[in-house]
Amino acid sequence: MASLMQTLVALSLLSMFVSDVHGQLSSTFYAGTCPNLQQIVRSTMAQAVNKEPRMAASILRLFFHDCFVNGCDASILLDDTAAFTGEKNASPNRNSARGYEVIDAIKSNVEAACRATVSCADVLALAARDGVALLGGPTWAVQLGRRDARTASQSDANSNLPGPSSGLSTLISSFAAKGLNARDMTALSGAHTIGQAQCGNFRSHIYNDANVNSSFAALRKRNCPSSGGDGNLAPLDLETPNRFDNGYYRDLVAKKGLLHSDQELFNGGSQDSLVRQYSVNNAAFSRDFAAAMVKMGAISPLTGNRGEIRLNCKKVN
């Protein structure tokens, strides 16, 4: 009987622990302390996206690159200091990660309304959601309550982010390491339905890979020579680069994925059937993307007394 009671107590404690973990973030976290937060973020993002639609993709990428490196803690926003080398100049981010000034503008507006209350990590999570919605994509209830990191790691950024030359097995394992399954990975890859990529990141695919439509490759080669022009841009979604829809998956089915890692999702492997489904069912893609974004946003957040609420997203307090 004693053994049974110990087991029941242990299970009860475990249940409380699991509940506590999932209860740390809440969509109503700032309801009392910063009630206008979501309107402030939305209006500032709307100004940025109206000025440059690509900014929605850039902010979404910032959020992804933040969450995959030691969790969603706004570490990607920190400038280098004498104490640490930050993530801004890690290989996946150097000369490509952008939109920092938009997050700074949102944070400034939030600080004016709610001093020292809302984390940069939560600002980034909300901005990523709003950018997607502003370009016609799904919306979702962003879970809030993250706090900001006091440090960053260039080495972790270099090792934790899958690159444009990644194969399917690498993509699946990279996402699995963050608690995201293959379906989440394929849905989140649909973020590439907006935004652009640099020639240096897709040159090898259009010149060397066999699984690419020849006319599409010829089109992309016009602006991406075999050498030079590494920074030249091309849309990740050939059809509707400024609308968040399922055009990305239609491109993959037609072998018109821009990056090697994109086309890997539809190349005779385990994700082919899901890509086909998304290519004809935008509602299914939108639903799965929104759910996967919530999961990604819950990767190792700093909560409670850990971390801090940065006043300036570029530096610790």
Side-chain angles (χ1 to χ4, degrees):
M1 180 62 75
S3 176
L4 177 60
M5 287 299 296
Q6 289 173 341
T7 300
L8 290 173
V9 169
L11 287 172
S12 176
L13 290 172
L14 178 61
S15 175
M16 291 171 61
F17 171 76
V18 171
S19 175
D20 180 59
V21 167
H22 286 283
Q24 288 175 335
L25 299 181
S26 165
S27 61
T28 59
F29 188 84
Y30 298 107
T33 57
C34 194
N36 295 323
L37 170 63
Q38 305 224 17
Q39 296 95 309
I40 294 169
V41 176
R42 176 77 176 218
S43 63
T44 314
M45 270 300 290
Q47 293 171 19
V49 173
N50 287 340
K51 181 179 179 181
E52 183 191 10
R54 182 189 174 200
M55 190 53 69
S58 298
I59 298 300
L60 183 54
R61 185 169 183 261
L62 274 186
F63 184 54
F64 166 60
H65 282 212
D66 181 43
C67 290
F68 263 57
V69 181
N70 299 322
C72 308
D73 60 2
S75 58
I76 194 173
L77 305 178
L78 288 169
D79 287 340
D80 294 352
T81 71
F84 62 82
T85 303
E87 298 162 26
K88 289 184 176 180
N89 287 308
S91 295
N93 299 326
R94 186 173 57 249
N95 299 322
S96 66
R98 60 195 297 275
Y100 299 109
E101 74 283 356
V102 174
I103 299 302
D104 288 340
I106 297 172
K107 176 64 171 174
S108 178
N109 291 338
V110 170
E111 283 295 308
C114 317
R115 172 79 175 165
T117 301
V118 181
S119 67
C120 297
D122 281 344
V123 165
L124 182 54
L126 287 166
R129 187 271 311 271
D130 290 344
V132 168
L134 285 162
L135 291 188
T139 189
W140 56 92
V142 176
Q143 300 299 298
L144 301 166
R146 301 169 191 81
R147 289 167 65 86
D148 298 323
R150 293 190 177 99
T151 188
S153 173
Q154 184 174 110
S155 61
D156 287 341
N158 280 326
S159 61
N160 287 358
L161 290 163
S165 62
S166 297
L168 181 59
S169 61
T170 297
L171 292 169
I172 291 173
S173 61
S174 295
F175 279 71
K178 305 301 177 184
L180 299 165
N181 61 35
R183 189 181 191 92
D184 298 326
M185 181 274 293
T186 298
L188 288 170
S189 295
H192 285 178
T193 191
I194 55 174
Q196 302 184 66
Q198 297 180 357
C199 168
N201 288 327
F202 63 83
R203 176 186 288 117
S204 179
H205 177 55
I206 62 171
Y207 280 92
N208 302 325
D209 289 349
N211 61 341
V212 57
N213 177 280
S214 59
S215 62
F216 171 73
L219 173 66
R220 292 281 74 97
K221 287 175 182 177
R222 294 180 194 172
N223 197 41
C224 185
S226 57
S227 64
D230 283 7
N232 294 351
L233 296 171
L236 285 156
D237 177 352
L238 183 64
E239 298 181 342
T240 50
N242 290 328
R243 182 163 183 80
F244 199 97
D245 58 17
N246 61 338
Y248 167 79
Y249 299 99
R250 292 194 296 271
D251 288 343
L252 296 187
V253 172
K255 295 187 177 181
K256 296 179 181 179
L258 186 62
L259 304 178
H260 175 87
S261 56
D262 288 327
Q263 198 59 57
E264 279 287 289
L265 302 183
F266 190 82
N267 191 35
S270 63
Q271 300 307 293
D272 281 19
S273 61
L274 185 56
V275 169
R276 283 193 185 278
Q277 180 188 350
Y278 288 161
S279 74
V280 297
N281 191 334
N282 187 58
F285 161 54
S286 294
R287 180 190 65 240
D288 287 357
F289 180 84
M293 283 294 291
V294 173
K295 284 181 69 174
M296 186 175 77
I299 297 175
S300 305
L302 297 174
T303 57
N305 294 321
R306 298 184 301 156
E308 64 181 15
I309 303 298
R310 269 185 243 145
L311 302 180
N312 181 335
C313 293
K314 296 179 181 178
K315 60 185 182 179
V316 299
N317 294 339

